[in-house]
Amino acid sequence: MQIKLTSIFVDDQRAALAFYTDVLGFTKHHDIPLGEDAWLTVVSPEVPDGPQLLLEPAKHPAVKPYRDALAEEGIPLAQFAVEDVEAEHARLTEKGVVFTQTPTDIGTAVIAVFDDTCGNLIQIIAEKPAQ
């Protein structure tokens, strides 16, 4: 079994596409019109055939209370791996990204959390080598 696709709810698909590509550095994979919305996915340019992230419209009535509850408690909706959290924090901060948690060493990894401007908190993580 493999993870090929996962989704994240976004308030505006076009704004999310701009943030996830122009700011975070993902690459657009699919952009298939479906009425008012689209089947819109991005992938890591480092693994273009890897898992896709679907930028899912946040229209379902359950989405808002779910995301609001997570954000209120500071819980990220998704987690992305990076090589160096400090470097990524600096790069993204320079691009105007707002972090709700600065780089923090949690023992087995270093993490940070930012607001994706699309209604979600996202955690970046760099795992440390096993001791």
Side-chain angles (χ1 to χ4, degrees), residues 21-114:
T21 57
D22 298 342
V23 177
L24 297 185
F26 289 101
T27 303
K28 180 172 65 174
H29 188 75
H30 287 296
D31 188 354
I32 303 167
L34 297 171
E36 293 178 14
D37 301 314
W39 181 262
L40 185 56
T41 66
V42 295
V43 295
S44 168
E46 298 165 15
V47 190
D49 294 328
Q52 298 175 52
L53 179 65
L54 175 63
L55 303 176
E56 181 81 36
K59 293 181 178 178
H60 191 282
V63 172
K64 182 171 175 26
Y66 169 67
R67 290 195 311 171
D68 287 350
L70 290 177
E72 185 176 310
E73 294 192 26
I75 300 171
L77 187 67
Q79 178 172 273
F80 302 143
V82 297
E83 289 294 318
D84 181 335
V85 170
E86 293 279 351
E88 196 65 17
H89 173 264
R91 182 184 79 82
L92 294 175
T93 299
E94 188 172 290
K95 289 184 170 236
V97 174
V98 176
F99 279 79
T100 60
Q101 180 180 350
T102 57
T104 304
D105 188 322
I106 60 167
T108 57
V110 177
I111 62 170
V113 179
F114 64 87

